[in-house]
Amino acid sequence: MKRIGVLTSGGDAPGMNAAIRAVVRKALYEGMEVYGVNYGFAGLVVGDIRKLTQRDVGDMIQRGGTFLYSARYPQFATEEGQLKGIEQLKRFGIEGLVVIGGDGSYRGAKALSRHGFPCVGVPGTIDNDIPGTDYTIGFDTTINTVLDALDRIRDTATSHVRTFVIEVMGRDAGDIALWSGLASGAEQIIIPEKNFDITAVAENIREGREKGKKHSIIVLAEGVMDGKEFADKLDAIDNFHVRVTVLGHVQRGGSPTARDRVLASQLGAKAVEALKEGHGGVCVALYKEELVVRDIVETLDNMKHTPNLDLYKLNEEISN
Ligand code: F6P
């Protein structure tokens, strides 16, 4: 393979630039040419494609977001969109494509592979919800951003002896809430993967107050319900005067952590190796500390992401 393409798609994640950089530099090192596709699959179907050089990815490893831009493009689910995309890739002489993104991006890569175009998926999403990999690019930065916010909220919560509900992102997955909640010493973590009982949550707040706790921090994953709704349910049980903070897109920005930069560099380079070795229809992953290449159809159809529920149990044991 002599010429490959790279794109980022779906929600951006810190470390995507580091991953693009690794793809470009590794491909050049291997004697290949690299083309960047702007705006993900939306740019692909209209041929918004340009050649990338060594210098295009200089001064990029530390930057948040993605310099290739991204887009949500549900139209790519149609065969018409997919075939148009392949036509554009062929027009530029591109023989294989690296797709950096989350769930929707993987489905796009899987569809292209099914049409016979070699694609490699690289897990890039703050949600950490891609099956078959322990971590996704961006997750570590996001939980540290959330952690910083939680530490600040704790200061004011303690000063006023208040209960706070902090709604964090994650789509249907609870990983962001789980990891940032445990790391911040949150009293309670509410995630979609675990049922909760609102009266038990209220009881926990009361018990904490009786024990002399000066604050109650509840980290709520957006996949459960929104923060306001949750707070209203609590206030209906007792007059807790719950304050709600929705962290929102602040969680997606910022310079990637060292961990995300290293992971992005490893996975980006591994994706190029996979294409060079003739693999298509695969995704790269970090699994039990090892870099692996997996079949993308197999991964999406048969593997399921589950958060580490030992962390949930641990938080219940040590947070009160
Ligand atoms: O998948 C990343 C993510 O940030 C989710 O956590 C969140 O639910 C969603 O994207 C928000 O999407 P958008 O930026 O399109 O509003």
Side-chain angles (χ1 to χ4, degrees), residues 3 16-17 58 76 79 87 94 101 119 125 127 153 156 159 161 180-181 218 222 228 234 247 270 272 282 311 316:
R3 187 177 290 178
M16 278 184 163
N17 281 326
F76 204 70
E79 185 165 286
E87 204 182 294
I94 296 167
C119 275
T125 166
D127 299 336
I153 287 169
T156 175
S159 306
V161 195
S180 62
I218 303 171
E222 65 174 358
K228 170 82 172 58
L234 274 179
L247 289 182
K270 189 77 180 170
V272 173
V282 295
L311 299 182
E316 288 205 317

Side-chain angles (χ1 to χ4, degrees), residues 66-220:
T66 161
F67 84 93
L68 286 179
Y69 310 104
S70 194
R72 301 213 183 270
Y73 189 64
Q75 297 89 320
F76 204 70
T78 65
E79 185 165 286
E80 192 195 344
Q82 294 153 14
L83 295 178
K84 254 191 211 161
I86 292 177
E87 204 182 294
Q88 295 290 3
L89 289 164
K90 289 194 172 151
R91 200 161 68 83
F92 283 84
I94 296 167
E95 299 161 288
L97 183 68
V98 177
V99 174
I100 305 167
D103 206 38
S105 318
Y106 269 45
R107 282 197 297 273
K110 176 177 138 180
L112 292 180
S113 302
R114 279 213 159 127
H115 290 301
F117 195 90
C119 275
V120 182
V122 175
T125 166
I126 64 165
D127 299 336
N128 205 41
D129 62 349
I130 300 290
T133 189
D134 297 335
Y135 299 105
T136 56
I137 297 163
F139 174 64
D140 186 63
T141 308
T142 293
I143 56 174
N144 279 289
T145 302
V146 173
L147 181 60
D148 181 58
L150 292 176
D151 287 348
R152 288 164 194 266
I153 287 169
R154 185 202 281 249
D155 290 345
T156 175
T158 305
S159 306
H160 288 264
V161 195
R162 270 178 179 158
T163 296
F164 269 80
V165 170
I166 298 99
E167 180 195 313
V168 301
M169 281 186 168
R171 205 178 287 277
D172 300 322
D175 292 58
I176 296 176
L178 187 56
W179 283 70
S180 62
L182 177 63
S184 68
E187 274 67 34
Q188 300 186 71
I189 299 171
I190 313 291
I191 54 174
E193 296 85 354
K194 274 279 180 187
N195 290 333
F196 72 95
D197 170 5
I198 198 78
T199 52
V201 175
E203 194 48 39
N204 182 289
I205 299 171
R206 284 199 208 99
E207 277 173 13
R209 293 226 173 125
E210 275 157 25
K211 279 193 233 159
K213 274 202 174 238
K214 297 292 182 221
H215 58 256
S216 182
I217 305 283
I218 303 171
V219 183
L220 169 72

